[in-house]
């Protein structure tokens, strides 16, 4: 059974993340979307809120499940008996950070394989940070996030519409 873990902040989940989750679900038997719980990082949404949005977004995907992890990703992988890490590769500028992270993870746990997936072209520019920025300004969000997440963002930033 091939178990893949897709770790990230997901603050919040975007249509780009969802595109990758769908791709991963077609490739692996089990896809665990793992929300990082790192108290030293500032997030707009709490871990519970991020999990709720992901659970809502992945509702129709039986292969996907949502979980959270703290500490080292490799320790979480060992606990889940997983060796595959999914990460998105949108643009060349992602490569530096992703390469470092994949190398470090493999150094810490030699069985780890990081699989990079490319989202659909329409999501190449999409990032949670940009979605948060756009949401703060009160712009429509439906092209970037699932409707449930758009609602949560409007509530968070007290946008009336
Ligand atoms: O969505 P993000 O913020 O790019 O995700 C980064 C994340 C959570 C995958 C990464 O920071 C992570 O794996 N953190 C856990 C701590 C860890 O294992 N660090 C060593 C590898 S860099």
């Amino acid at each position: 059974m091939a178990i893949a873990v897709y770790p990230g902040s997901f603050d919040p989940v975007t249509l780009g993340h969802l595109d990758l989750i769908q791709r991963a679900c077609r490739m692996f038997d089990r896809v665990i979307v793992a929300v990082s719980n790192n108290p030293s990082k500032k997030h707009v949404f709490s871990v519970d809120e991020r999990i709720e949005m992901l659970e809502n977004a992945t509702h129709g995907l039986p292969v996907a499940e949502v979980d959270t992890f703290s500490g080292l990703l490799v320790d979480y992988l060992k606990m889940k008996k997983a060796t595959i890490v999914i990460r998105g590769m949108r643009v060349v500028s992602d490569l530096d950070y992703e390469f470092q992270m994949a190398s470090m993870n493999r150094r810490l746990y030699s069985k780890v394989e990081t699989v990079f997936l490319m989202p659909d072209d329409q999501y190449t520019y999409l990032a949670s940070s940009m979605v948060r920025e756009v949401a703060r300004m009160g712009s429509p969000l439906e092209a970037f996030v699932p409707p449930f997440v758009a609602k949560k963002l409007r509530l968070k930033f007290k946008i009336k519409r």
Side-chain angles (χ1 to χ4, degrees), residues 7-11 17 34-38 41 43 69-75 87 97-98 100-102 104-105 108:
S9 303
F10 303 106
D11 188 33
H17 292 131
V35 178
S36 100
N37 181 5
N38 181 352
K41 258 195 178 178
H43 294 293
F69 76 104
S70 48
L72 283 178
L73 176 64
V74 290
D75 291 336
R87 291 289 290 175
Y97 170 59
E98 294 299 334
Q100 275 187 9
M101 200 155 67
M104 176 58 87
N105 283 332
L108 294 168

Side-chain angles (χ1 to χ4, degrees), residues 5-86:
V5 172
Y6 179 19
S9 303
F10 303 106
D11 188 33
V13 58
T14 66
L15 292 179
H17 292 131
L18 206 51
D19 179 274
L20 289 195
I21 295 169
Q22 284 162 346
R23 286 172 201 281
C25 284
R26 293 197 286 270
M27 296 169 69
F28 302 100
D29 301 308
R30 204 175 147 201
V31 175
I32 306 172
V33 184
V35 178
S36 100
N37 181 5
N38 181 352
S40 63
K41 258 195 178 178
K42 269 196 88 180
H43 294 293
V44 165
F45 290 100
S46 69
V47 173
D48 287 347
E49 287 173 319
R50 287 180 274 151
I51 289 176
E52 187 194 14
M53 288 184 278
L54 269 165
E55 278 179 343
N56 187 286
T58 57
H59 193 65
L61 296 169
V63 172
E65 57 194 89
V66 182
D67 195 12
T68 178
F69 76 104
S70 48
L72 283 178
L73 176 64
V74 290
D75 291 336
Y76 179 75
L77 294 174
K78 287 175 191 167
M79 192 180 82
K80 291 287 169 187
K81 301 197 181 335
T83 53
I84 300 157
V85 174
I86 302 287

